[in-house]
Amino acid sequence: MPSALMSPADETMVSIRVEGMACASCVGRVEKAIRSVPGVASASVNLATGRADVGFSGPPDLGSVIEAIRAAGYEPVIETAEFTVDKLNCASCVNRAEKAFKSAPGVTEASVNLATKKALVRYLGGATSAEELERVVTGAGYPTREIKPEAAPEMTEDRQDAETRSLFRAFLLAAILTLPVVALEMGAHVFPAVHRFVMERIGGSELIAFVLTALILFGPGWRFFAKGGANLWRGAPDMNSLVALGSGAAFIYSTLVTFMPHLFPAGTSNVYFESAAVIVTLILLGRTLEARARGRTGEAIRHLIGLKAKSARVLRGGNAVEIEVTQIVRGDIVLVRPGEKVPLDGEVVEGSSFVDESMLTGESRPVAKGIGANVVGGTLNTRGSFSFKVTKTGGDTVLAQIIRMVERAQGAKLPIQALADKVTASFVPMVMAIAGLAFLFWLFLGPAPALSFALVQMVAVLIIACPCAMGLATPVSIMVGTGRAAELGVLFRKGDALQTLSGVAAIAFDKTGTLTKGRPELTDFVVAPSFARDEVLSLVASVEARSEHPIGAAIVAAATQAGLSLQAVADFTAKPGFGVEALVENRRVAIGSDRFMADRGVDISGFEKTAARFGEEAKSPLYAAIDGRVAALIAVADPLRPTARQAVEALRGQGLKIVMVTGDSGRTANAIGRMLEIDDVVAEVLPEGKVEAVRKLQKGGRKIAFVGDGINDAPALASADVGLAVGTGTDVAIESADVVLMSGDPVTVARAVALSRVTMRNIRQNLFWAFAYNIILIPVAAGALYPFFGILLSPMLAAGAMALSSVFVLTNALRLRRFMPQLPGEAVGAKHPELAQSAAE
């Protein structure tokens, strides 16, 4: 039920849910804040229900109320809902549907996408509901239904297929009926024998053409008149209105000439039944091709949906039972055999295997999974069997979240679309005005027969105009681009990040976990003369096994990997920041820094040069002493990711400045910077320092992207123009980011930048075509070239051009499905070099 009601005093009442209120004083502050907004007549806040009932003396100014509540320290509940919207045929429909959504009380934002025929709406919780929005927009002529998260993809796909089939059937019927009309008309003109046969045996072709054309217009073509006529009646004409006016004018004129020829001056009694029939048939063909192409733009989503398993083998009562995935609940134990899909998210509890996660991360190498490892629904078990405990089901799974994220990004509006939106808002009325002026101009100044001439040019103008191309130019490229990005392991959480990322001047990287693996590893173990490597490593690892330091864990891991056994340890002591020591098999073993060795009188001079070299290579040198003698020099480091250098080279090749911002020591950070040839290094900074570094880079209006993975990166991710979070990082970092890199591979940053650039280039191509097409061909259809070159555009050619205009835009956008950026060290894009080149441009 709607929440906005009229009070006896004719106040417009809106109910808003408010979070954060804890006591009566909170209620007073919220009420005072709301009442301070101009136009608010009353405010009543209920602590128990958490609602604020606001009365407005005039039109509700919800934006100011939201700001006032937030300024008081509380948060109005903003809910998000997604809808399917039917009967969207052009950009004018999009504008009217958006206005309908925004007319509902409490709606703060509404974005309708012509390509997907979906709407994303944000509204004040309590002020309206999804059911109310469905009612309002459906009443405006656009049947609307909320998309439930779990059913959204399948329902959308079924609707798209049904729409394509319906349009194809309509086109096929129209084409069958049109052929005789065209054959009779054209054949009679081209072949004299056909003309004689028609006149002698049939008595003229007009009556047959009238019947067949009427069947076309009132059969498969009725959709244009039903929708276009209704919008004309509302005073909001759209693309259907133009088609209805153009074909209807030709049909009515021809019908009057056929049955009441005495009404027309001599020489003007020409019929245009074939024009009306061909116009409807060609536009139905264009709509069919457009629907089919539009369906292909959503293949990335369908691919993700196809990753879902339908059934799984679950342990119930000690037996493995195959059931549907929808019946599985958290805590169930699921068995996965080789070659099977992992049905849901969970944690491995038994067995081991290698799982192909390329469909989610873009990485082709299978990932080892053992007890305690996390598995993700939709991935493929390659070999080995394992069981896992289900931790997430339904809409909570990673795959479901990815699908929602991609769909939201696909439905976004970019800033570049603003111009197209402004033009399309008044495009159809302008076209109708131009058509009317063309009719009047040629009626009074055109050659004989003036009436027929003027009618033809008016119909041509109405038919050739194509706001659909302008409306589709941006959203279809966004759909294909973000879908392709998901296949490459790049998820755009916010659609406008696609445009912003294409214009960044510099990329700032966090070091740990982004350019490096994020965990220390033993990189070097140099043993002193008269000591055996395995023996020393076993003794050192035995001591470090008692330490909680990550460096100790790295040494123990190296010993375990080498197959060495650990010994019993006694008298263990640790000096934080310096080192550890203990007795192992009655031998005194000490591991630590140079100062730790000096305190124990151990001479380490033989390793000084090697230790200095390790420091320059961003490695942490440690020493091991046994019974007072130096036994080994140990180097531990957080190793670079294998593709870090390739990522930096690729980004520099795209003309970007590369900066590293880290809290690590200057020596370590600068060593990493030298190895990767990074342009600038900012070291030893706290999280606030990372934000300040980003702001310095932004000086002069430059756009900056920041790449990070940890909690301490969240402020910098949020303050950058575009934040890119490594998908293997923390939830806080991911929530603060605009783009999520699923694999954690830094090369994915270069892929994201390249993809954003090629997508924006594709959008500009589409917009140029859409505007150039209309700017050039509408005057031509109006007869602008006739006085100079004697060139006219027939309505049938106009219909063909209009039908193919949108198809051109869609086809151009679909090229993005094949895009693969060319990166250093990779083979040149043999299949599609033009796409690799477009990314560089």
Side-chain angles (χ1 to χ4, degrees), residues 51 53 57 119 134 174 260 262 309 315 332 340 357 371 386 421 464 470 474 524 680 765 790 796 813:
R51 286 178 180 270
D53 294 316
S57 56
E134 289 177 355
M260 291 178 281
H262 58 278
L315 284 180
D332 276 344
E340 291 183 341
E357 297 181 341
I371 294 175
F386 63 91
D421 287 345
I464 204 166
M470 290 188 285
T474 301
D524 299 89
D680 194 10
Q765 291 169 346
M796 288 185 287

Side-chain angles (χ1 to χ4, degrees), residues 63 120 124 154 187 260 264 343 377 382 384 471 502 521 531 683 745 813 834:
L120 187 65
L124 283 171
E154 292 85 350
M260 291 178 281
F264 298 88
T382 57
S502 69
E521 293 180 4
F531 283 94
D745 186 343
E834 76 285 355

